[in-house]
Amino acid sequence: MNEDEVSTLNTEEIAGVVPINSDEALLRKLGYRQDLSRSISAFGNFAIAFSCCSVLSGLAPLWGNTMVYSGPLGVIWGWVITSVMTTIVACCLAEICSAYPTTGGLYFWVSQLATAEWVPLACWLTGWYNWIGGCFGIAGTDIGLAQFIVAMIKVWQPDVDISVYVQYGIIVGIFIIHGTINSVAVNWAGIVNQGAFFANMLGILLTVAVSLAITRPLASSEWVFTQLYNNSGFDNNGYAFLLVILSSQYTLTGCDSAAHMSEETKSSQKGSPSALLTAVVSNAVSGFIFLIGVGFMVQNYDEQILSENAISPQIVQVFLDGVGGAWTVVFVVFVIISIFFSGSALTLSSSRMVYAFARDGAMPFSKQLHTLNKRTNAPVMAVWFNILVATIVGILYMINETAYSSIVAVNTIGSQLSYLVPILLRITTSRKSFQPGPWHLGRFSVPMGIIACLWILFTCGLFIAPTSSPVTPGNMNYAIVPFSFIMILSTGYYLIWGRKWFRGPVREIDDKQVILQK
């Protein structure tokens, strides 16, 4: 049955007489009616997923930190390693997405992959992991945007002192704009993110081409690909190299947004998994090109990267010294555009996850969060709930100098753990019973799943480790604190009350609610 073919399923199958297309028929089979507007093309879905893990929004703000940890060698080859491993993870997620294309995404997948007795707890934990990753991702992205806005001001007014409190005001303003954008009709969001995709690619190509043409002298190839600097404070160069994985993995995290948009995507069994994987691969390739180009621009490592007088983020200082103020503003504008639309896309996808989770009663204020605006048919309450939480998370940025890195780490840990659960269940409890969709890995599914799980566990452990030595209260990695706080509250609530009524996703067809079984 193709995307244009109308389903003729009888009333015994879908309890209705109105003809529906294959996407809606599959959604009903999975247990949900078509509430959200299915108006996004496969390319529109890809554009949203691409924005969520775009190179300019992830690598640019943290590039200076990675250069401090292990220099250009770590930046380039850390990206290559992370890209390969994340592509494997994306393949595993895409296979499951093809079988279960619903807005609940990973949370719903777990309900179909876990054994019956473990479905409630597995769904609960996965949903909360995913939500934490989404909210902290919105906060981290918009903080990065505020940093580049401040940096552009400093390009023209170097003596201007913009306090962290003023930066927080900018961050809140960005949150409000993103909330407003995502309260309108979803088809506009798809169109806007398609434009953002082309802006991203143009920004990367322009930055690399102009930088290589104008910057003199250029760094040598030997320096760009083989020079290791360890300014992390740790004696072990290998550990310093591993620290660069944080920024690389943070950048490529968020591809699951393609799954959260499934109920709004046409031909979702093929469109959503393809969008998920293509978003990672295209960012991996463009990121490699971008990092090489920027690496050749570095003229004085000590002055541009390590000096306290360098503009922050340090990549702006490298731009300024290499191509001058006018071109630097052009580059930074493209970075700002990229980060802006990345934050907007993250807000969009995370609101869909909240909507789906609340649909099954697993969120605070579920009744309110599981509502659609009558005019735009968008989950407006879910959008602003996430904006509120992200605003609270952003307060941490004013308190501690390493808060931004910790927020980034929490985003990555939450997202990675939400990926781990369905992939692990796919290769264990559902190894033989899993019914793949049209997009699948065949015999490579299990070995790739094992590799993906090992990588995720490794990165989650790395992201709670210290990033500077000696460790002090001022530079400690506090990622474990907010993550554990939220998960302890959530799990405690489940053990005391939630387990008495929560059974996982519920069926919502013809005003009936039935617990979905594997």
Side-chain angles (χ1 to χ4, degrees):
M1 185 181 298
N2 60 43
E3 58 185 313
D4 299 319
E5 187 176 354
V6 174
S7 171
T8 56
L9 298 175
N10 59 41
T11 56
E12 292 181 355
E13 293 180 83
I14 59 173
V17 295
V18 179
I20 59 176
N21 62 32
S22 57
D23 282 316
E24 187 173 345
L26 175 62
L27 186 61
R28 290 198 173 204
K29 182 179 179 181
L30 293 174
Y32 295 114
R33 60 174 178 258
Q34 186 71 54
D35 289 331
L36 296 165
S37 174
R38 195 176 290 273
S39 56
I40 299 178
S41 65
F43 181 74
N45 187 317
F46 157 74
I48 293 171
F50 180 92
S51 292
C52 286
C53 50
S54 71
V55 169
L56 294 180
S57 65
L59 285 181
L62 293 170
W63 177 84
N65 290 351
T66 58
M67 286 290 286
V68 170
Y69 293 148
S70 57
L73 178 146
V75 171
I76 297 292
W77 300 113
W79 176 259
V80 171
I81 293 171
T82 305
S83 295
V84 171
M85 301 307 292
T86 305
T87 299
I88 294 175
V89 173
C91 286
C92 296
L93 295 175
E95 179 181 52
I96 306 174
C97 179
S98 181
Y100 313 118
T102 68
T103 292
L106 306 105
Y107 154 74
F108 180 87
W109 303 349
V110 169
S111 73
Q112 303 299 292
L113 298 171
T115 55
E117 65 271 22
W118 289 104
V119 163
L121 180 59
C123 287
W124 186 279
L125 292 176
T126 303
W128 278 90
Y129 290 151
N130 202 218
W131 176 72
I132 291 174
C135 279
F136 277 78
I138 295 168
T141 301
D142 288 357
I143 289 172
L145 175 54
Q147 289 178 340
F148 272 92
I149 292 174
V150 171
M152 188 163 67
I153 295 173
K154 283 185 172 292
V155 168
W156 295 109
Q157 299 290 334
D159 297 328
V160 172
D161 183 21
I162 301 177
S163 70
V164 69
Y165 304 105
V166 173
Q167 292 184 50
Y168 180 72
I170 296 173
I171 294 166
V172 172
I174 297 168
F175 285 148
I176 293 173
I177 295 173
H178 281 158
T180 303
I181 290 174
N182 285 284
S183 297
V184 302
V186 69
N187 60 316
W188 282 104
I191 294 171
V192 167
N193 278 284
Q194 289 180 47
F197 163 75
F198 291 109
N200 261 287
M201 298 309 295
L202 177 60
I204 292 171
L205 294 175
L206 187 67
T207 300
V208 173
V210 172
S211 298
L212 295 180
I214 296 179
T215 303
R216 292 295 181 272
L218 291 171
S220 67
S221 298
E222 181 181 5
W223 188 88
V224 171
F225 292 102
T226 66
Q227 183 62 56
L228 173 69
Y229 293 110
N230 180 1
N231 291 287
S232 65
F234 295 99
D235 294 332
N236 191 304
N237 289 338
Y239 183 76
F241 176 84
L242 292 177
L243 291 176
V244 306
I245 292 176
L246 172 60
S247 64
S248 300
Q249 191 64 73
Y250 164 69
T251 302
L252 294 175
T253 295
C255 61
D256 61 298
S257 57
H260 295 307
M261 303 307 298
S262 291
E263 290 182 30
E264 297 161 89
T265 301
K266 302 171 184 176
S267 190
S268 57
Q269 278 196 294
K270 294 181 179 178
S272 292
S274 296
L276 190 157
L277 178 59
T278 308
V280 171
V281 173
S282 57
N283 274 301
V285 174
S286 59
F288 184 64
I289 296 171
F290 176 76
L291 289 175
I292 291 175
V294 175
F296 276 107
M297 290 184 70
V298 179
Q299 298 171 311
N300 189 317
Y301 179 82
D302 290 337
E303 292 298 322
Q304 294 176 316
I305 308 300
L306 300 181
S307 175
E308 293 182 358
N309 296 322
I311 297 175
S312 179
Q314 294 100 311
I315 196 171
V316 178
Q317 186 68 60
V318 173
F319 289 161
L320 184 61
D321 294 342
V323 298
W327 274 113
T328 296
V329 169
V330 174
F331 293 171
V332 172
V333 165
F334 273 105
V335 173
I336 287 174
I337 291 172
S338 173
I339 301 178
F340 178 83
F341 285 111
S342 177
S344 181
L346 285 167
T347 303
L348 177 69
S349 65
S350 185
S351 69
R352 270 48 181 183
M353 187 274 150
V354 169
Y355 168 82
F357 211 25
R359 180 164 59 184
D360 303 320
M363 290 292 293
F365 314 109
S366 286
K367 184 177 180 181
Q368 290 75 25
L369 295 178
H370 177 223
T371 57
L372 296 174
N373 182 276
K374 294 181 179 179
R375 187 170 62 87
T376 64
N377 206 37
V380 174
M381 293 296 289
V383 169
W384 288 100
F385 176 75
N386 278 342
I387 292 296
L388 175 62
V389 174
T391 302
I392 295 172
V393 171
I395 295 174
L396 298 174
Y397 183 64
M398 297 188 293
I399 298 175
N400 184 273
E401 65 183 51
T402 61
Y404 178 53
S405 295
S406 296
I407 291 171
V408 166
V410 173
N411 158 241
T412 311
I413 293 168
S415 298
Q416 290 285 86
L417 287 177
S418 70
Y419 301 165
L420 173 67
V421 180
I423 295 175
L424 182 62
L425 292 173
R426 162 67 185 92
I427 63 175
T428 54
T429 59
S430 292
R431 184 171 182 171
K432 296 182 179 179
S433 60
F434 178 73
Q435 296 294 320
W439 199 105
H440 59 86
L441 298 172
R443 61 180 180 176
F444 297 104
S445 180
V446 173
M448 291 181 73
I450 294 172
I451 295 171
C453 289
L454 292 175
W455 174 253
I456 291 172
L457 290 172
F458 167 72
T459 54
C460 287
L462 182 62
F463 294 153
I464 61 175
T467 57
S468 299
S469 179
V471 179
T472 67
N475 65 22
M476 179 180 174
N477 182 358
Y478 286 97
I480 192 64
V481 178
F483 181 81
S484 297
F485 176 75
I486 296 173
M487 287 309 304
I488 288 173
L489 288 180
S490 169
T491 306
Y493 178 84
Y494 173 82
L495 294 175
I496 297 173
W497 294 290
R499 63 184 178 85
K500 299 177 182 179
W501 53 266
F502 182 74
R503 294 294 180 269
V506 295
R507 192 178 180 93
E508 283 196 355
I509 295 180
D510 304 320
D511 297 322
K512 296 179 181 179
Q513 291 192 345
V514 182
I515 302 298
L516 289 173
Q517 298 291 334
K518 177 181 173 182

